[in-house]
Amino acid sequence: MENCEKQNFNGKEFVIGSVIGATGGALTALLLAPKSGNELRGDLNTGAAELKSRAGEWKNTAYDKGSEWKNKAAETTSRFTQKAQELTRINAG
């Protein structure tokens, strides 16, 4: 269980690092490229729109994963509750 949690945490770190790295690289490339102000602003707007779209996708993925984990936790809790009730009946009887 701990290994699974560690893998999920490492996955989150990877995604965050990728986003930061991609954003930093894109901004650096845009700022260092020899372009006019109009072209640069256009490129920045396009990049911002793409980042907004990706952030929306990541939000949806995070929401779906959170729902999956919530459902799994509810199922596990239900199973443990049933086992505890069975053991209580066995010990009482």
Side-chain angles (χ1 to χ4, degrees):
M1 178 92 176
E2 183 179 316
N3 191 22
C4 182
E5 290 173 0
K6 190 173 186 178
Q7 287 176 344
N8 286 338
F9 186 68
N10 289 339
K12 290 176 192 175
E13 287 179 345
F14 176 76
V15 169
I16 291 168
S18 296
V19 170
I20 291 170
T23 303
L27 285 175
T28 301
L30 289 173
L31 294 174
L32 295 178
K35 294 184 179 186
S36 69
N38 252 354
E39 287 177 314
L40 180 58
R41 283 189 295 278
D43 287 349
L44 287 173
N45 286 335
T46 301
E50 288 178 17
L51 184 60
K52 182 179 177 183
S53 173
R54 287 183 186 169
E57 292 171 10
W58 292 329
K59 177 196 68 117
N60 292 338
T61 300
Y63 180 80
D64 292 342
K65 289 292 182 184
S67 294
E68 287 176 21
W69 292 340
K70 182 190 86 167
N71 292 338
K72 187 167 180 88
E75 290 172 12
T76 302
T77 300
S78 177
R79 278 187 280 155
F80 283 137
T81 301
Q82 288 175 352
K83 291 272 186 191
Q85 288 172 347
E86 290 172 10
L87 288 173
T88 302
R89 277 189 239 125
I90 290 171
N91 289 335

